[in-house]
Amino acid sequence: AGEELHGVARAVAKAAAEAALRRQASPSDIGAGTLVATEAVGVRHFEAVQQASRAAVRVVVSALLRNQTVAGSVASAGLAAATAAGLARNEAKHLVEHAAVHTIVAGPDAPALEALGAAAIAVMQALGTPTADMVLEACSMVAWTSARLVARRGASPADVV
């Protein structure tokens, strides 16, 4: 029953974040509202924060990147959503980085590999990620996300690599 409850919490978080976005709520309101809805499911507070912050950040970052919003605005909106959902700022930064890279890689207009890295680095710079960590982290996230997406599409292991 525990795993089933986590699945319900994940679905509620996603639905709450998407509904708040449709109402044109602010990123902070999306994060806070998503947390309230997720906690109502009955999962532990820690689990609710994790699910709510992930859903809120994904929804906010995806919407902004689809609208070709500048990296600084994407970063600050993502941080606002995650921290309003209860996530610590450092964890929120990583969540926003990953959500941005996933959105860029998985989008229908995914750019060439060089542009993927540049887009990831732009968001990381806006988040204040140290330069020494940025390139390695951007390469790692782009490679991991790309490999996952290619594998999901049924590619052979050689194509994934």
Side-chain angles (χ1 to χ4, degrees):
E3 187 58 39
E4 190 174 296
L5 188 59
H6 293 304
V8 171
R10 194 171 23 259
V12 166
K14 182 179 181 207
E18 289 170 349
L21 181 70
R22 284 192 299 277
R23 288 191 313 271
Q24 299 180 344
S26 72
S28 293
D29 288 344
I30 292 172
T34 301
L35 178 60
V36 169
T38 307
E39 283 184 317
V41 171
V43 291
R44 293 178 305 133
H45 177 72
F46 174 80
E47 177 71 18
V49 167
Q50 296 299 311
Q51 295 298 342
S53 58
R54 277 190 210 116
V57 167
R58 283 184 187 140
V59 164
V60 167
V61 167
S62 294
L64 292 174
L65 286 173
R66 276 195 309 272
N67 292 328
Q68 299 181 344
T69 305
V70 295
S73 296
V74 172
S76 62
L79 282 175
T83 54
L87 206 59
R89 186 172 172 78
N90 200 36
E91 288 180 82
K93 282 177 60 175
H94 289 295
L95 186 58
V96 173
E97 288 172 352
H98 285 271
V101 170
H102 180 79
T103 300
I104 293 163
V105 171
D109 302 320
L113 284 175
E114 299 80 18
L116 284 174
I121 285 175
V123 173
M124 289 180 187
Q125 284 174 325
L127 288 166
T129 304
T131 305
D133 300 339
M134 241 186 298
V135 174
L136 181 60
E137 186 71 15
C139 290
S140 169
M141 282 194 295
V142 168
W144 180 81
T145 305
S146 299
R148 244 179 97 202
L149 289 168
V150 170
R152 269 196 218 144
R153 293 179 185 138
S156 71
D159 288 338
V160 171
V161 173

